[in-house]
Amino acid sequence: MITFVFLKFHPKQQRIVLSKKLWLHPSSLLDYSYFIFSVFFRVMIILPVIISTKEVALFVNIVLLNQYGFVRIETLSYTQVMVLFTLILFILNDFTRYWLHRLLHFVPWLWVFHKVHHSAKVLNPLTFYRVHPIEFLLFGFRYSLSIGFVTGVFVFLFGSLVSIYDILGVNLFVFIFSLLGSNLRHSHIKLGFGNVVELFLISPLQHQIHHSKNYMNTNFGGFLSVWDYLFGTLILSKNVTNIKFGLEKTQMKNFQSLKDLLFFPFIVTYKQIKK
Amino acid sequence: MRYLVVIIFFISIVVNAVGEKFFNQVIIVNIILAIKSVDLLIDNINQANSTRIRMQFGNLVSSWKKVETTYFLGDLNEDYLDTPRYIDIFHGNNEEIKPQLDLIINSNDELFNAMYKYSHKTINALEYVLFTKDLSHQRVKNMALIIAKSIKSYLSEILDGYKMYQSKFLENEQYASAILLNTLIAGTYKLKEWRVGDVAGLSKKFKNKPNNYRAEYATSGNSVNAIKAILETQAQIINSPDYQDLGDISRQFKARKEIDQAISALNDSIANANNMSEFDFINDKGKRLYQSTNRLMKAYYISLMDKLGFVSKVLDADGD
């Protein structure tokens, strides 16, 4: 809905977003085929990893039980526990996502794999899935460990009163932020939130800036930009006028096909190890 | 597609119910039986029939444990949070009541004033008085009656409370299932760790220091009886053919494997408890019971984690 309203008042951008050139760009076509691959990969490889979230939660819970015995906080109501759990889950998820994303940029051997995502010359919603399998796995582990940890602690403290507020199976806050346009991160819809809001919430335009060649070491946040603000990686959208997506020309040639996206990072890693 | 989601949503609310039948056949029936038990015990104390007193105390222990196993009235109204502690101080009170009760017996103070503490009127105090003191002594008999009547009064309070908050329990089925599962988990931890592990020398607190006399009702020899009652009540909650229980709900939510594991661990625990005598805590039988109740607790926790279903909820928002 935000898209329609935004485009109605920005007819120039409407032309870009609806252009054939964008949707049939070789980078977009590669995103589509890579998306199909990623669905299979997520089901076959990531899902078994994600299941271990339950194991992590159980492990944390049992360790706490062994360490501190049986504890039950009875002062909070069912609703309060639900709100607290949903909120903490969302914040912790976003916080760990920020740090993993930042590490993907600053640790050289991780950057080799994360480049796959930044190799998109144009952005569309499926660019979200243009992520190397190694990165998928890292995000899977991050998810299992962080969500499993916080769930284990909550179950230890509140038992089965722990529950999550969700809308159609999605964390309430994730749903709200998605409505606020977070799914426009990978698009050419230049939606900014203004200086004040962008200190706390990442606008689609801020993430698009992150995808530009000159500012890719800024705006690592997922839903919240407050992490970028606190840890010195924030850039507000009004400060950037010229955005060119993708990597440097010399690097772009290494990410032209599905095969390139999958194997090029391994080749680079192999060469680096061999050195 | 949208209509399908809405239909599934409403069905999930409807099936997520621990119903009225469960409430009446388990919660209400068990508390009524406990009140009857204490009534009969009061009659036996009045008649000073020591054989019947011993038997009836066993019945009271068993019926009280059934009430305690499903005690969630405190979740419905926090004024009732402490009521079980006025009946039972096992592991919940560090004071040594036995010398205090001896002092009361040997003094000439008015009993009403001397027995001013809640702990003096608990089932633990009653056990000490009934099984170590001479009931032909009028002061001892009066003490036993005061304690038994106090227990009856709190049990009646619990019955009234459940009747008053029955609709609150039944109106929010998801909440009802949550507090019931919480009660099960808490009870299983206490059973495994306090009632078996501490005695068998398998808990962290008493590692390698087994002692049969640490058992909950070591004085009257009702510890295994109490454990059996707890486990039988758990079967009433998760594995009853007579009404919709937590096990049925878990199956409806596709946690068939998890609930089957819990039922299997529960059945093993019941078999192990049935195979035990009061002096078996410190041998292999005690160890087996500890292990099966440990499996049972883990199975409940796994069911709980499964209920959360957090796996799919954030996954789609992952990656950058």
Side-chain angles (χ1 to χ4, degrees), chain A residues 50 53-54 61 66-67 69-70 72 78 93 97 117 128 142-143 151 158-160 162 164 166 168-169 185, chain B residues 5 175 178 181-182 186 189 204 258 301-302 304-308 310-311 313-314 316-320:
Chain A
I50 296 300
T53 305
K54 199 160 78 176
N61 183 55
N66 291 338
Q67 193 61 35
F70 188 77
R72 239 339 151 253
Y78 187 45
N93 187 49
R97 194 173 153 191
H117 184 61
F128 178 80
R142 176 203 66 85
Y143 180 88
T151 305
F158 302 104
S160 60
V162 174
I164 192 168
D166 60 34
L168 299 176
R185 292 154 65 91
Chain B
V5 170
Y175 177 61
L181 184 56
N182 247 9
Y189 176 83
K204 194 182 168 195
E258 287 77 11
Y301 272 119
I302 291 170
L304 195 165
M305 309 282 180
D306 218 66
K307 178 180 88 75
L308 280 172
F310 45 72
V311 173
K313 295 183 177 175
V314 193
D316 278 343
D318 229 355
D320 258 301

Side-chain angles (χ1 to χ4, degrees), chain B residues 34 42 62 113 124 174 189 239 241 251 262 283 287 298 312:
Chain B
I42 290 168
S62 172
N113 296 325
N124 316 77
Q174 206 173 343
Y189 176 83
N239 193 23
R251 286 196 184 86
N283 60 36
K287 197 176 176 182
K298 277 190 184 170
S312 62

Side-chain angles (χ1 to χ4, degrees), chain A residues 183-247:
Chain A
N183 45 4
L184 302 177
R185 292 154 65 91
H186 298 104
S187 76
H188 289 249
I189 297 170
K190 300 201 180 314
L191 176 62
F193 289 160
N195 284 359
V196 178
V197 178
E198 284 186 356
L199 292 177
F200 302 97
L201 306 179
I202 282 268
S203 68
L205 184 50
Q206 275 178 298
H207 191 73
Q208 289 155 19
I209 290 168
H210 170 76
H211 270 271
S212 71
K213 290 175 195 175
N214 298 329
Y215 300 98
M216 58 176 59
N217 285 335
T218 62
N219 295 349
F220 296 111
F223 290 107
L224 304 175
S225 58
V226 72
W227 315 123
D228 285 296
Y229 179 50
L230 288 174
F231 300 113
T233 52
L234 182 77
I235 190 156
L236 300 172
S237 59
K238 68 148 194 168
N239 297 334
V240 179
T241 45
N242 189 19
I243 302 176
K244 281 191 176 156
F245 298 129
L247 303 164

Side-chain angles (χ1 to χ4, degrees), chain B residues 55-208:
Chain B
M55 193 194 78
Q56 200 51 45
F57 181 78
N59 289 341
L60 175 62
V61 164
S62 172
S63 55
W64 159 240
K65 287 296 136 184
K66 281 173 182 271
V67 172
E68 198 183 36
T69 303
T70 55
Y71 190 80
F72 51 76
L73 190 55
D75 291 292
L76 301 174
N77 180 345
E78 59 184 33
D79 290 345
Y80 291 93
L81 220 51
D82 286 323
T83 313
R85 287 189 268 271
Y86 301 149
I87 298 175
D88 192 330
I89 54 167
F90 175 69
H91 223 284
N93 188 328
N94 287 329
E95 64 176 312
E96 186 57 73
I97 57 165
K98 289 173 185 174
Q100 293 175 17
L101 291 166
D102 286 340
L103 271 176
I104 295 168
I105 290 169
N106 296 324
S107 76
N108 293 317
D109 296 344
E110 181 68 37
L111 278 180
F112 181 78
N113 296 325
M115 297 173 74
Y116 67 95
K117 285 186 180 175
Y118 287 122
S119 54
H120 295 157
K121 288 173 247 177
T122 53
I123 196 165
N124 316 77
L126 185 60
E127 183 192 32
Y128 182 65
V129 171
L130 292 180
F131 287 82
T132 66
K133 304 297 168 193
D134 182 6
L135 271 187
S136 61
H137 196 298
Q138 190 58 41
R139 188 171 172 84
V140 173
K141 186 176 171 179
N142 287 344
M143 277 176 76
L145 284 170
I146 286 172
I147 300 170
K149 284 174 184 171
S150 171
I151 292 171
K152 184 189 169 182
S153 144
Y154 284 121
L155 288 173
S156 303
E157 210 172 273
I158 291 173
L159 175 62
D160 293 342
Y162 273 128
K163 283 180 178 168
M164 202 181 305
Y165 291 101
Q166 176 169 5
S167 55
K168 190 178 176 185
F169 177 78
L170 296 173
E171 80 187 0
N172 186 345
E173 291 100 349
Q174 206 173 343
Y175 177 61
S177 300
I179 59 174
L180 201 50
L181 184 56
N182 247 9
T183 313
L184 268 186
I185 288 174
T188 313
Y189 176 83
K190 290 167 188 172
L191 169 63
K192 175 205 78 139
E193 205 64 9
W194 301 351
R195 297 190 163 89
V196 185
D198 282 355
V199 193
L202 297 167
S203 65
K204 194 182 168 195
K205 193 176 174 186
F206 295 104
K207 196 88 188 155
N208 299 322

Side-chain angles (χ1 to χ4, degrees), chain A residues 96-108:
Chain A
T96 55
R97 194 173 153 191
Y98 167 86
W99 276 105
L100 178 56
H101 190 187
R102 194 170 162 166
L103 288 175
L104 286 165
H105 279 259
F106 285 102
V107 177

